[in-house]
Amino acid sequence: MKLEYTGSEQVPLGKPDVWSFINDPQKVASCLPDVQQVTVHDDKNFDAVVSIGLGPVRGKFKFKITLEPQAGGDRMNVRINGGGFGSVVDLLAGADLIDNGDSTTTLDWDGSATMRGPIATVGGRVLDAQAQKLISGTFANVKTRMAGA
């Protein structure tokens, strides 16, 4: 099962501040919805345990997450691999940073997820909604956390 998403968030900070925030694994990890535990390994890699609810089934997914800043400071990619419930998730999300010229930055984001295993087989719309929540919720949380900074 392959899922794709796009969206946009306007952040009330200049591009250098946004770039600094999204290059900090601890700050990025704090933006994951329903995060239970984070282990930062270095300046680009961390693990996260996230609570997932798929209909009446609740559990935890464990993810290995890698920040992949692109040269020039205009795009950040985030690679997420892991799973739970006997299923595997491979997710690539990214955001283009656009300086709006008024001390705000737009994050034009996209994400695609591939899921394999029992959850992908039976999850259908519920799984699609959960993946959408994870991706869009993370970027919305980035905006909220930076606005409060």
Side-chain angles (χ1 to χ4, degrees):
M1 172 181 277
K2 183 164 183 153
L3 307 168
E4 296 192 12
Y5 308 97
T6 60
S8 184
E9 296 290 342
Q10 187 167 338
V11 180
L13 291 173
K15 186 176 165 185
D17 292 327
V18 174
W19 184 251
S20 177
F21 184 97
I22 65 173
N23 271 278
D24 183 324
Q26 192 67 46
K27 289 179 179 175
V28 172
S30 74
C31 295
L32 294 169
D34 304 318
V35 69
Q36 301 295 309
Q37 180 182 347
V38 173
T39 304
V40 176
H41 300 292
D42 57 38
D43 65 340
K44 300 287 179 246
N45 297 284
F46 61 97
D47 296 337
V49 177
V50 178
S51 291
I52 301 288
L54 298 170
V57 179
R58 305 241 177 261
K60 295 179 182 175
F61 272 42
K62 295 180 182 178
F63 296 112
K64 292 188 178 303
I65 302 169
T66 302
L67 302 179
E68 299 176 343
Q70 304 302 293
D74 292 325
R75 182 166 178 88
M76 171 64 80
N77 288 331
V78 180
R79 190 168 305 279
I80 302 172
N81 306 98
F85 301 116
S87 297
V88 176
V89 176
D90 294 311
L91 169 70
L92 179 62
D96 292 313
L97 284 72
I98 301 165
D99 186 339
N100 297 322
D102 60 358
S103 298
T104 67
T105 303
T106 299
L107 294 175
D108 279 339
W109 59 265
D110 55 79
S112 62
T114 304
M115 301 180 193
R116 301 176 304 280
I119 295 297
T121 304
V122 299
R125 272 189 234 153
V126 175
L127 185 59
D128 184 36
Q130 190 67 37
Q132 173 73 22
K133 175 185 172 187
L134 179 64
I135 296 170
S136 64
T138 298
F139 285 106
N141 288 343
V142 166
K143 174 185 176 178
T144 301
R145 297 245 186 339
M146 283 192 280

